[in-house]
Amino acid sequence: MRPSHLLSLLLLLLAPAIQAAVLAIDYGAEFTKLSLIKPGVPFDVVLDKDSKRKISSVVGWKRDDRVFGAEAKMAATRFPDTHFPYVKPLLGSTSQLPLSLHPNPPSLTDDGVLIFPHPSFPVHLSPSPPSTDEVWTPTALLAHQISYYRHLAETLLPAGVTPEPINQVIVTVPSWWDHYQRKAYKDSLELQGLTCLAMIGEGTGVALNYAMTRNFPDYNLETGQGSKEYNVIYDSGALSTTATVLAFYQTSYLPTPKSKTPINTTHIEVLGVGWENVGGVLLDVAIQDILTKDFITKSGQKDVIKDKRAIAKLAREASRAKHILSANQEANVAIESLYNDIDYRSKVSRAGLESAVEGSIPSFSHPITAALASANLSLKEINSVILFGGNTRVPLVQSALKSALGGRDDIIAQNVNTDEAAVLGAAYYGAALSRTFKMKNINLTETSVYDIIMGEEVIFPSGSKLGEKKIITLPINEKDEITIDFAQSTHTSQTQSKTISEKDAKTKPILSLSVVDIQSTLKNFTSPSPVVQVTLKLDQRGYLAVANAVLTFNSSIEDTKEGSGVAGALKGLFSSKKDKEDEEIEDSSTEDSVAKEDKKESKKQKVALRFREKHTGIRPMTGEEKRTTQARLSSIAKFESAKFAREEARNLLEGYLYRLSGLLSPDSESKALHEYATKEERSKLQKSVDSAMEWLGDHAEEADEKTLRAKRADIEAIETPIITRFTEFVHRPKAIEAFQQAMFASRTFLVEARKNNTIALEAVSNSTPENPAIPPKFTEEELKGVEDLMKDNEIWMDTLMQKQVKLDDDKMKDPVIRSAELDERGKKLQMTVLRLVNKKAPRRPRPSTATTSTTLASPTDHGPEVTESTHSEPDLAEPSTTSTTLASPTDKGPEVTEVTQETGEKMGKTYTQKSQPSDKGPDPPKHEEL
């Protein structure tokens, strides 16, 4: 097997294998799509509680109640101050959006963190925020939404299946997200106790969905023979437009030289990415501005722009108008009581919208050219441009795309679901990680968009594969600590939002590494020329991480002494693992065997060093902030759980009272509460229902779950005896009949069994040691047990039936015989008899002789006739003596007879037992068994 395939196999073994349910999340700025990967659950999109396939990415509050999705979006017009939309672009950022999209925009704290206010935050929030001005970070708001997504997925189980908690997720993110944004998303997941198995690009998710049912050209990775298929995923969403260039091809190889079936693998490689911060929300805001100006012109109400409820109504109407303009030239607008009880009606045209955003239209085509330049490909090499995202349905976006393609409209493909392809691709990737599902072999390669820089050196250049590791080697100095700072290149998009300090910066800091306790570790280190080696990892999720730091030997340390300090030691001292292996192979070829052994022994010594990571630049959540936020999220979840339980108890009590009221009514079709209850019981039950209805009307809002359930339990205590009488009256006759049938079948079995036992015992007494008979099938103790059980049932039944007969005409008396006890006794008797019926028949004892002589058969003897037997007994073993007695040729064993006995409903339909034929000894008496 080739080394590259060995490495692929190793990575596959080390990859996280999915053992339980996993949730795939495609979190968008405006809408989120979910898919659950779990055996027994259909591979599809998770619906929200309104059966919608996409969920609004919004969290809000209606007073103390947290709301999500469409409900939160609708609540924006009534509670705009506690409405938090468009959280995604603020993750890992210190700047607000250029568009006014937040009713209560966040503020930047002194330590560089965006945080939203929450006027009149819930009273149950604990620990309580110090003020209403700083309550929720964007990371915390995303954690709120993730809790809702998990709840939707956990309830997506077949009926009767116990809900299973979801602790693992696979998420999609923009490929151009930087270190800060990816860490912020990961922090949101961790706040909800979720493990991020994979964080793939949104374009990559679409590519996975595209590759699910398609074949691609063959390509040989070693020889370079074959071809690749190049496609562009053009994704235009709410706030950004991204183009991702990908290569698709297939490889095939035999796992072993003797294998006949090759292993086929589909490869997906990300080659380039281009993006701009323009999307569908830009059009929404443009329409909203047109409507606002028109309303002011018509009504003269200039203060409408200060009214948050009015702005929320205009925003909702603008979004609706945009969808209409995608298929029509004009859209009618009507808003009742927009501001100061003034109704507003107007029209907006597609031409007017395009004129308002004319300056931003080229930004929709720029990602295509930027992505192709990043991938070093020309438009002629592209097979197709695959559209994704709701904004690709807008005519002006389609026109901008066609202009970027230079008239090659034929390569525009609409062969994926523009809303769900990314989340379904992520779910497909999750299923491929699982051992439960049999999926197509997929090899996914994603690359970084930014350079990772240490000092003046680029450690991971743009285009590095995610998951790649590199080792840097640092010299030892007199200090006990080595500190290294890492930075990331800034955004390359012209419209990407930046802080003032970032506008002229080429890099921004992301991580500071401190390796400590070096001198104390050196005391126990015996190898010559010690150095510090740090393994860096460009995580599969796209951010920089430190894997480990060790004190080890490096023979090339002398080359680093020309410089001074860490900066002087960097040159030539870091390389990838592959480079290290190549250098070691080259060195080993020039050394003699003794030198190689010495070097091998020296390299064995490696001592782990302690190190600390500190995220620099945009500050992530601290440990204390995470604990505080988790406590607040938990207090909200606890409140909502208690509220749900209380509402459920209230609904159950209310429904129960209404049902009883109907049953107690004289006009009720069911007469159970009238025929089987005494007058006093009906009166008491009616008073209890009326009292509970009156109490519910006065205390329903503040009563807790325990009180509500106790109210119902008190009334059920009155109703239960009545319902028991009714139930017993209906079911008892059938239970008695089944019990009697079981007794009859058992009695029949007992009679036949004793008869057969008597015959068998007689045969045993008349048999000889040379020709023994089969002993009885049942022991006396076994038959005595059945007999005793039947006698006990007869005494119990006769005693209670005498009392029950006197009550049969009075439906208001409690029954003496209960159907449950009849079933229990009948079942016990049934199982006892069936166990004996199914008992294996005993074997015939071995024949024995008193002499040691052997009688040889006459030459004319041909032995006994051979007859076919269904006897389950295996061939008899050789006797312990040396004497052999041959059977008479006429001995054929007993005839086979069948006995069929009806045993009643509780005992089963029919039992049939065949007697055991024998090929030895005289014919025994006929032995019949039930």
Side-chain angles (χ1 to χ4, degrees):
M1 189 182 294
R2 295 189 294 270
S4 60
H5 293 142
L6 283 171
L7 179 60
S8 299
L9 179 59
L10 179 61
L11 293 175
L12 180 62
L13 292 174
L14 294 177
I18 294 176
Q19 301 293 341
V22 177
L23 180 63
I25 304 176
D26 177 29
Y27 181 65
E30 189 169 15
F31 291 104
T32 297
K33 278 74 67 179
L34 309 172
S35 184
L36 184 64
I37 309 110
K38 180 178 173 62
V41 175
F43 184 77
D44 200 1
V45 172
V46 176
L47 306 181
D48 69 356
K49 64 179 184 179
D50 297 321
S51 299
K52 301 294 184 182
R53 297 181 69 85
K54 58 182 182 180
I55 307 161
S56 295
S57 304
V58 180
V59 59
W61 272 264
K62 296 193 301 185
R63 299 183 181 90
D64 286 347
D65 297 332
R66 186 173 57 168
V67 289
F68 300 95
E71 185 179 3
K73 207 168 185 179
M74 293 295 294
T77 56
R78 294 180 56 203
F79 306 96
D81 288 338
T82 55
H83 176 65
F84 303 100
Y86 302 107
V87 173
K88 182 179 179 180
L90 299 179
L91 294 172
S93 176
T94 58
S95 58
Q96 299 185 21
L97 298 179
L99 301 175
S100 299
L101 301 177
H102 301 104
N104 261 348
S107 58
L108 190 65
T109 62
D110 296 337
D111 54 352
V113 176
L114 285 176
I115 191 162
F116 282 89
H118 190 160
S120 302
F121 54 78
V123 295
H124 55 267
L125 192 62
S126 177
S128 180
S131 71
T132 60
D133 296 332
E134 299 179 2
V135 181
W136 302 117
T137 62
T139 302
L141 291 175
L142 175 56
H144 282 291
Q145 297 177 56
I146 290 173
S147 69
Y148 176 62
Y149 303 152
R150 178 169 59 181
H151 170 73
L152 291 175
E154 287 177 345
T155 57
L156 186 68
L157 291 173
V161 177
T162 304
E164 180 181 355
I166 296 174
N167 300 315
Q168 298 175 321
V169 293
I170 293 175
V171 300
T172 64
V173 299
S175 300
W176 43 267
W177 260 18
D178 61 19
H179 178 92
Y180 308 124
Q181 293 165 305
R182 293 172 185 265
K183 286 290 290 181
Y185 199 148
K186 182 172 176 286
D187 287 344
S188 296
L189 297 171
E190 290 177 350
L191 285 173
Q192 291 295 342
L194 296 173
T195 301
C196 183
L197 294 179
M199 187 178 285
I200 64 175
E202 292 168 343
T204 307
V206 179
L208 284 163
N209 179 256
Y210 177 76
M212 283 173 62
T213 57
R214 290 174 173 82
N215 295 320
F216 300 100
D218 292 329
Y219 183 80
N220 192 306
L221 293 172
E222 294 182 348
T223 64
Q225 295 180 348
S227 60
K228 298 180 180 181
E229 179 180 315
Y230 300 103
N231 295 285
V232 177
I233 307 295
Y234 182 80
D235 174 13
S236 188
L239 287 173
S240 64
T241 298
T242 306
T244 308
V245 181
L246 303 108
F248 298 81
Y249 59 93
Q250 181 175 295
T251 59
S252 178
Y253 72 95
L254 295 174
T256 63
K258 295 183 180 180
S259 299
K260 296 182 179 180
T261 304
I263 295 179
N264 299 321
T265 303
T266 298
H267 294 258
I268 303 175
E269 294 181 359
V270 177
L271 302 180
V273 179
W275 73 97
E276 289 288 347
N277 283 332
V278 291
V281 173
L282 175 69
L283 309 181
D284 292 345
V285 173
I287 296 175
Q288 180 180 328
D289 290 342
I290 292 173
L291 298 180
T292 303
K293 292 176 182 178
D294 184 56
F295 176 77
I296 293 174
T297 300
K298 292 180 177 179
S299 65
Q301 301 288 331
K302 295 182 180 181
D303 291 339
V304 68
I305 60 175
K306 300 178 182 179
D307 190 286
K308 293 180 180 181
R309 292 188 179 183
I311 294 299
K313 291 179 181 180
L314 285 167
R316 188 173 64 182
E317 191 66 14
S319 178
R320 188 188 70 84
K322 182 189 70 174
H323 290 90
I324 296 175
L325 291 178
S326 294
N328 301 276
Q329 293 295 327
E330 286 188 345
N332 292 321
V333 176
I335 306 176
E336 294 184 3
S337 186
L338 174 59
Y339 181 69
N340 285 341
D341 294 331
I342 300 175
D343 297 338
Y344 172 60
R345 286 175 175 77
S346 184
K347 288 184 178 181
V348 62
S349 66
R350 183 190 295 178
L353 171 61
E354 293 177 352
S355 176
V357 297
E358 184 177 5
S360 300
I361 291 178
S363 297
F364 288 103
S365 60
H366 177 262
I368 290 282
T369 56
L372 290 173
S374 175
N376 294 319
L377 292 175
S378 65
L379 191 59
K380 295 179 181 179
E381 299 174 89
I382 301 301
N383 293 75
S384 65
V385 177
I386 302 168
L387 302 185
F388 177 72
N391 202 45
T392 57
R393 304 185 186 102
V394 177
L396 70 87
V397 176
Q398 295 175 350
S399 299
L401 178 60
K402 291 177 182 178
S403 66
L405 298 180
R408 289 194 63 192
D409 300 355
D410 57 310
I411 67 172
I412 297 178
Q414 297 180 344
N415 44 18
V416 301
N417 188 313
T418 55
D419 292 321
E420 301 170 0
V423 73
L424 292 177
Y428 180 76
Y429 183 65
L433 294 177
S434 172
R435 298 189 183 99
T436 306
F437 304 93
K438 186 177 181 181
M439 310 294 292
K440 182 191 238 181
N441 291 333
I442 294 288
N443 187 311
L444 179 63
T445 303
E446 290 195 283
T447 57
S448 63
V449 178
Y450 310 105
D451 296 334
I452 302 296
I453 304 165
M454 182 180 70
E456 299 296 329
E457 302 288 345
V458 177
I459 303 243
F460 293 101
S462 173
S464 298
K465 295 181 180 179
L466 299 187
E468 185 177 350
K469 290 183 179 180
K470 289 190 177 180
I471 299 175
I472 61 172
T473 305
L474 307 172
I476 301 296
N477 54 29
E478 296 179 356
K479 297 181 179 179
D480 197 40
E481 181 175 329
I482 295 177
T483 301
I484 313 171
D485 294 323
F486 299 92
Q488 186 179 69
S489 58
T490 55
H491 300 97
T492 57
S493 175
Q494 295 297 321
T495 59
Q496 182 69 27
S497 61
K498 303 176 183 179
T499 62
I500 296 175
S501 60
E502 289 178 331
K503 287 185 177 179
D504 298 325
K506 295 182 180 179
T507 62
K508 50 187 178 182
I510 57 173
L511 187 68
S512 179
L513 169 66
S514 297
V515 183
V516 298
D517 297 340
I518 299 175
Q519 295 301 323
S520 59
T521 308
L522 274 172
K523 294 178 181 180
N524 299 321
F525 194 79
T526 59
S527 296
S529 304
V531 293
V532 174
Q533 282 188 349
V534 177
T535 303
L536 300 172
K537 181 180 180 180
L538 187 58
D539 195 272
Q540 287 281 7
R541 298 159 188 81
Y543 49 80
L544 182 66
V546 180
N548 61 56
V550 296
L551 186 66
T552 185
F553 162 82
N554 193 326
S555 60
S556 62
I557 193 65
E558 296 297 329
D559 298 334
T560 67
K561 292 182 179 180
E562 299 175 0
S564 61
V566 175
L570 295 181
K571 187 176 182 180
L573 290 181
F574 62 87
S575 59
S576 65
K577 283 188 174 180
K578 185 177 182 303
D579 295 336
K580 288 282 184 185
E581 292 169 0
D582 294 340
E583 291 173 6
E584 290 169 6
I585 293 172
E586 183 179 352
D587 293 340
S588 64
S589 64
T590 61
E591 296 175 351
D592 55 26
S593 60
V594 177
K596 284 193 292 183
E597 286 298 322
D598 292 341
K599 184 177 180 181
K600 183 178 180 181
E601 290 299 323
S602 299
K603 284 196 172 184
K604 284 184 178 179
Q605 188 173 14
K606 285 187 177 181
V607 181
L609 292 171
R610 291 178 56 242
F611 63 89
R612 294 190 296 264
E613 293 178 82
K614 179 182 179 183
H615 295 279
T616 55
I618 299 175
R619 183 179 67 78
M621 296 183 73
T622 64
E624 182 61 31
E625 288 173 340
K626 285 184 178 180
R627 286 188 289 272
T628 300
T629 304
Q630 281 181 325
R632 290 173 181 170
L633 293 172
S634 298
S635 66
I636 293 175
K638 184 177 180 180
F639 171 81
E640 290 176 344
S641 177
K643 180 182 178 183
F644 175 79
R646 190 190 70 82
E647 289 179 348
E648 183 182 30
R650 173 186 172 179
N651 292 335
L652 289 174
L653 174 59
E654 193 170 12
Y656 179 63
L657 294 177
Y658 279 115
R659 183 178 68 83
L660 284 183
S661 295
L663 292 174
L664 289 170
S665 173
D667 300 331
S668 174
E669 294 182 2
S670 175
K671 300 298 182 182
L673 294 183
H674 295 271
E675 296 178 0
Y676 296 89
T678 64
K679 184 177 179 181
E680 293 76 12
E681 287 176 329
R682 285 197 303 273
S683 176
K684 184 178 180 181
L685 187 61
Q686 185 68 63
K687 289 180 180 179
S688 298
V689 170
D690 294 341
S691 176
M693 291 285 281
E694 183 179 354
W695 177 89
L696 193 63
D698 297 334
H699 303 89
E701 297 300 327
E702 66 270 11
D704 58 14
E705 177 194 5
K706 183 178 180 180
T707 303
L708 291 166
R709 294 191 181 278
K711 282 286 182 182
R712 175 170 176 171
D714 292 342
I715 302 176
E716 284 180 335
I718 305 174
E719 181 203 19
T720 299
I722 305 172
I723 298 301
T724 300
R725 296 170 202 153
F726 169 73
T727 304
E728 289 296 324
F729 183 82
V730 173
H731 296 289
R732 188 171 57 254
K734 293 182 180 179
I736 292 175
E737 182 181 358
F739 177 80
Q740 290 174 341
Q741 287 179 348
M743 290 287 289
F744 173 77
S746 300
R747 188 176 295 106
T748 303
F749 161 78
L750 192 60
V751 171
E752 293 295 330
R754 288 195 180 281
K755 177 181 177 183
N756 291 339
N757 267 23
T758 301
I759 296 173
L761 289 172
E762 183 179 349
V764 170
S765 64
N766 295 330
S767 64
T768 64
E770 296 82 4
N771 204 4
I774 299 176
K777 181 177 181 181
F778 310 112
T779 66
E780 183 61 27
E781 290 77 9
E782 290 174 335
L783 298 181
K784 186 69 167 54
V786 175
E787 185 177 12
D788 291 344
L789 194 60
M790 293 177 60
K791 286 182 178 179
D792 180 65
N793 285 340
E794 288 176 354
I795 295 172
W796 172 81
M797 187 69 172
D798 292 342
T799 302
L800 296 183
M801 186 58 72
Q802 293 177 5
K803 301 177 181 179
Q804 184 64 48
V805 170
K806 300 177 181 179
L807 303 177
D808 278 348
D809 294 335
D810 191 350
K811 297 179 180 179
M812 298 181 185
K813 297 291 184 179
D814 293 331
V816 178
I817 299 179
R818 301 293 179 99
S819 56
E821 192 171 1
L822 286 166
D823 290 342
E824 182 181 354
R825 285 177 171 268
K827 184 178 180 180
K828 182 178 180 180
L829 181 61
Q830 174 194 23
M831 297 305 296
T832 303
V833 173
L834 287 178
R835 190 161 45 248
L836 295 179
V837 169
N838 296 326
K839 181 182 178 182
K840 189 176 181 180
R843 297 180 179 182
R844 180 189 299 277
R846 295 176 180 178
S848 61
T849 57
T851 66
T852 58
S853 64
T854 302
T855 304
L856 299 177
S858 171
T860 59
D861 291 342
H862 300 288
E865 296 181 6
V866 179
T867 58
E868 211 171 34
S869 173
T870 59
H871 199 292
S872 61
E873 177 181 342
D875 294 338
L876 296 176
E878 291 293 332
S880 59
T881 66
T882 59
S883 174
T884 302
T885 302
L886 301 180
S888 172
T890 58
D891 290 342
K892 302 178 183 178
E895 297 181 2
V896 178
T897 60
E898 294 186 355
V899 176
T900 301
Q901 175 64 51
E902 292 289 341
T903 58
E905 181 178 334
K906 298 294 283 186
M907 295 286 290
K909 294 297 182 183
T910 304
Y911 297 98
T912 303
Q913 180 72 24
K914 293 184 179 180
S915 63
Q916 303 292 347
S918 171
D919 59 354
K920 298 186 185 291
D923 294 344
K926 186 183 296 183
H927 183 189
E928 296 182 355
E929 299 179 14
L930 178 62

